[in-house]
Amino acid sequence: MSGHAMPAICGPCLEGGNKNPSLKWCTICEEQLCSGCVQHHQSLKLTRNHYLTEIRNDASSSYATENKGTILKTPETCVYHPSVEIQFYCKKHDIMLCDACLGSHPSCNSDIVPIDLASNGTKNSQNFHSIQTEITNILQSFSAILANKQTIEQIFSNEVSSAKKKIDEIRLELVRYLEEMIDKTLLKDVESQEKKVLDQLMKDKTVAEDGRKEAAWFLDEMSSILNTGSDKQAFMLLQRLKAFKNVRDLQVKEMSYNMQAYSLKMELTDPVELCSKMELLFGKVNMESTPYNVNMVQGMKISAICATPGESIKTEKFVCSVSITDAGHLLVVELNLFSSSKVFLFNDAGGHISNIKIPGSPTDSTAVPGGNKAVVLVDNKKLLFLEKDGTGTLHCKNIMKMAKGCNLITASWSKLYIAYKSEIIVMDINGHAVQYLKTLQMSGGQIQAFSVGRDDEVYYAIADCLYCMKDYGEEVCLYQTQDLKDVSGIVLDTDGNVYICGKTSNNIHVLKQKDSSAQVLLREGDVLQKPSGICFDKFRNKLFVYYTSYDPIQVYNVTM
């Protein structure tokens, strides 16, 4: 690992042949500066506004204690061409490239972008912070395995000592001429088993210690980049961490689930009986290996869902709500306080397809899965049933007035769901009432956002707590955290993962169906601006984030 460390020497001075100790780090120039060069740096018009930070050289990090006087730096040269600097990133293959690599990727021209562009915002991205947590978990898991191995080694060594003591006692009771035979049998067996077990333990300890040190190094590297590094360095480190994570995570899992505890048992012949019969039956050494598991650090399983930004969609409309059709078209409802509001249909690139005026002020809307229909809630009490014809033109097929004032609407393949305070009205797709679902959380306030799953189960939020209700009324609290405030949207993907949007907390959480674990998918560092709602294209794995404003609709490609 020391090959990745850079002596704390002033860069400009080193170019002139002097080795002056550096005090500051310029995050723009990515260079160390001594006290004299700091003054010069701050006096020049070109560099006086550069951000300078103290070079970290303390004992707070485990790696720093082993490498005092150094700062960490992620290599910026190509893995395949070590003498060439990395300049590009291929989005299709998720790899970094240099000039020499471009010839081997002729079909990826549209997916290759400059590394400075691809790395923009990496330091503050959810992916960088998530993998930092995961590497911390790897470090802690290897530390737990190492401590466990040391305990096993101590216990086993005590048993070996006890076995040797018993052998010595037998030796004293036997006649001298038997001593050689004892040494050739029992002691040899014990030492053979001892060597076998200790060799295995040493091998396991070496792997665990190497994994622990490497994980610690990466964490210190990440911490250093967060303090003094650039987005480019963070991005490069993130790419290298993927390979480390895959190898070391596999080692942790294999070692954690294939642990062996060793116990040395002695089966000895009674010395008196041995002497009387004059038989060289000294007994034997048995080695028992008992499998057991070491609990890994919670969250060690790395199965994070990732979201990478795509091209934003500029509607130039004051957006009230957005939903997605099966064809991938965006149904955007405009709020216009000066003239008639409209419903617009855009393609996934933001191209206008058609629009239709609506009578009143829009409240919410939903595209109906499995067809060309959509429903818009107007003035909190009217339902507008829209349909798209073969040319993409929207038509209003029916208007229905609700008996109660409602604020939210969503749809499944065969039903409409309309939220009224803490109740949910269920209708068939044509607007005929089917049933009422009354939540058990009436004292907690009204429903903030809701969505429907594959089996018509309803996911909804009240007081920033996510609930799920089956169609027969069973209600379960699924998720609540202090990091989720003012829920403004809930959607599901094809795997049943639930995405929850927090407006005030300015983030998007995802509750995974497979293992019921949760993660923060997007946060402020991912350019969120207190989102008003979200929708999900289940056929293309795209997450759309919108705002009640003229701001563009943000698009994220989701990978699982």
Side-chain angles (χ1 to χ4, degrees):
M1 291 299 170
S2 60
H4 298 300
M6 183 173 62
I9 297 175
C10 177
C13 291
L14 187 61
E15 291 293 328
N18 299 317
K19 296 184 178 180
N20 296 325
S22 57
L23 301 176
K24 298 278 188 177
W25 170 265
C26 177
T27 60
I28 306 300
C29 299
E30 297 184 8
E31 193 166 36
Q32 303 172 72
L33 303 172
C34 66
S35 58
C37 290
V38 167
Q39 294 179 0
H40 184 67
H41 211 69
Q42 293 175 333
S43 64
L44 292 176
K45 183 177 181 180
L46 183 64
T47 58
R48 66 177 57 154
N49 292 324
H50 286 193
Y51 180 69
L52 304 182
T53 183
E54 295 288 340
I55 291 180
R56 193 166 57 121
N57 184 22
D58 52 55
S60 61
S61 99
S62 60
Y63 190 77
T65 59
E66 302 171 8
N67 301 271
K68 294 182 184 291
T70 65
I71 66 171
L72 302 172
K73 182 175 176 64
T74 299
E76 297 184 4
T77 55
C78 180
V79 175
Y80 307 103
H81 308 93
S83 62
V84 184
E85 184 179 358
I86 293 171
Q87 294 181 325
F88 304 98
Y89 170 67
C90 178
K91 295 186 288 184
K92 181 178 180 181
H93 296 97
D94 191 24
I95 57 173
M96 298 184 291
L97 306 171
C98 66
D99 281 331
C101 294
L102 293 180
S104 61
H105 293 76
S107 64
C108 301
N109 290 339
S110 61
D111 294 307
I112 294 177
V113 296
I115 193 71
D116 291 329
L117 178 61
S119 63
N120 187 32
T122 300
K123 263 178 63 173
N124 294 323
S125 70
Q126 178 60 32
N127 284 349
F128 193 79
H129 287 277
S130 293
I131 203 169
Q132 184 179 30
T133 300
E134 292 163 357
I135 299 303
T136 300
N137 291 336
I138 290 178
L139 168 65
Q140 294 174 352
S141 294
F142 271 126
S143 297
I145 291 172
L146 181 61
N148 187 271
K149 291 292 183 180
Q150 291 169 339
T151 300
I152 294 174
E153 181 181 26
Q154 182 61 48
I155 294 173
F156 184 76
S157 295
N158 292 339
E159 291 184 339
V160 169
S161 298
S162 178
K164 290 182 178 179
K165 184 178 179 180
K166 290 182 180 180
I167 293 172
D168 288 339
E169 292 173 354
I170 294 173
R171 180 184 293 111
L172 295 175
E173 296 181 24
L174 296 176
V175 292
R176 182 174 297 181
Y177 91 105
L178 295 177
E179 187 171 278
E180 183 178 354
M181 298 301 298
I182 294 174
D183 290 339
K184 289 182 179 180
T185 56
L186 294 180
L187 187 58
K188 183 177 180 181
D189 285 348
V190 169
E191 291 177 344
S192 174
Q193 295 291 354
E194 178 187 19
K195 184 178 185 305
K196 178 180 178 181
V197 171
L198 294 183
D199 286 348
Q200 183 61 46
L201 288 172
M202 179 60 69
K203 178 181 177 181
D204 292 345
K205 286 167 56 185
T206 300
V207 173
E209 179 66 21
D210 290 347
R212 184 189 69 82
K213 286 186 177 180
E214 192 171 4
W217 183 87
F218 274 118
L219 286 175
D220 290 341
E221 183 79 0
M222 296 177 78
S223 178
S224 178
I225 288 177
L226 286 172
N227 290 330
T228 63
S230 64
D231 284 336
K232 178 179 177 182
Q233 290 175 308
F235 180 83
M236 294 178 180
L237 179 61
L238 182 61
Q239 298 303 311
R240 286 174 170 81
L241 281 173
K242 293 178 181 178
F244 163 77
K245 175 173 68 67
N246 290 337
V247 173
R248 290 302 189 182
D249 186 31
L250 181 60
Q251 288 179 337
V252 168
K253 291 176 181 177
E254 288 178 350
M255 294 178 71
S256 297
Y257 291 108
N258 294 283
M259 302 290 281
Q260 300 287 335
Y262 303 100
S263 178
L264 192 70
K265 304 296 182 182
M266 298 288 294
E267 293 181 9
L268 303 175
T269 304
D270 182 25
V272 177
E273 180 181 355
L274 179 64
C275 291
S276 64
K277 294 184 177 181
M278 297 298 291
E279 295 176 352
L280 301 179
L281 300 176
F282 301 108
K284 60 181 179 179
V285 177
N286 290 331
M287 175 59 60
E288 295 181 0
S289 177
T290 306
Y292 73 102
N293 293 334
V294 171
N295 292 330
M296 294 189 293
V297 176
Q298 188 174 11
M300 182 62 215
K301 184 176 181 181
I302 301 177
S303 58
I305 297 175
C306 298
T308 54
E311 290 292 332
S312 297
I313 298 175
K314 298 180 180 179
T315 66
E316 299 182 353
K317 310 297 178 185
F318 193 93
V319 175
C320 171
S321 68
V322 178
S323 55
I324 189 82
T325 70
D326 288 354
H329 297 154
L330 285 176
L331 191 76
V332 179
V333 180
E334 171 203 37
L335 176 61
N336 194 324
L337 300 178
F338 304 102
S339 62
S340 298
S341 296
K342 296 180 180 179
V343 178
F344 292 85
L345 197 62
F346 295 94
N347 61 29
D348 58 1
H352 176 267
I353 299 175
S354 66
N355 61 265
I356 186 174
K357 292 182 180 179
I358 55 176
S361 178
T363 307
D364 196 14
S365 65
T366 181
V368 178
N372 298 318
K373 296 180 179 180
V375 182
V376 180
L377 180 61
V378 178
D379 295 330
N380 297 101
K381 58 184 179 181
K382 288 187 295 186
L383 295 179
L384 274 62
F385 292 83
L386 306 181
E387 189 170 331
K388 181 185 69 171
D389 63 19
T391 65
T393 303
L394 292 170
H395 301 276
C396 182
K397 294 296 185 180
N398 188 24
I399 298 177
M400 188 180 76
K401 188 174 181 179
M402 300 290 295
K404 298 179 178 180
C406 303
N407 60 312
L408 298 170
I409 185 171
T410 189
S412 66
W413 287 76
S414 59
K415 297 177 183 177
L416 293 177
Y417 297 79
I418 301 108
Y420 164 71
K421 294 185 178 179
S422 58
E423 296 180 5
I424 298 173
I425 304 168
V426 185
M427 299 181 170
D428 65 20
I429 212 65
N430 296 312
H432 301 111
V434 176
Q435 67 181 125
Y436 288 85
L437 297 178
K438 190 172 184 179
T439 74
L440 303 179
Q441 305 297 320
M442 293 189 67
S443 61
Q446 70 177 19
I447 295 173
Q448 299 167 291
F450 75 137
S451 188
V452 181
R454 289 173 293 188
D455 299 320
D456 285 344
E457 69 275 22
V458 182
Y459 297 85
Y460 57 92
I462 293 180
D464 295 329
C465 180
L466 177 68
Y467 296 89
C468 178
M469 178 184 286
K470 306 293 184 180
D471 57 3
Y472 44 81
E474 179 189 2
E475 185 177 49
V476 179
C477 176
L478 295 180
Y479 183 61
Q480 187 174 28
T481 174
Q482 293 295 323
D483 196 28
L484 179 64
K485 298 184 184 300
D486 191 13
V487 175
S488 56
I490 299 173
V491 294
L492 287 84
D493 61 22
T494 51
D495 292 332
N497 301 312
V498 185
Y499 300 75
I500 315 109
C501 173
K503 185 172 185 179
T504 301
S505 54
N506 200 21
N507 52 26
I508 296 175
H509 297 235
V510 56
L511 182 64
K512 286 173 274 189
Q513 175 71 24
K514 185 175 182 180
D515 55 11
S516 297
S517 62
Q519 70 175 84
V520 178
L521 182 68
L522 297 168
R523 60 175 76 239
E524 186 173 359
D526 298 294
V527 204
L528 291 186
Q529 305 171 35
K530 300 188 181 300
S532 303
I534 51 178
C535 59
F536 197 92
D537 187 344
K538 297 181 179 180
F539 296 96
R540 298 158 192 84
N541 280 347
K542 289 186 177 182
L543 180 68
F544 297 85
V545 182
Y546 63 90
Y547 305 88
T548 307
S549 66
Y550 289 99
D551 291 332
I553 298 171
Q554 294 172 316
V555 184
Y556 293 90
N557 298 305
V558 177
T559 55
M560 306 172 193

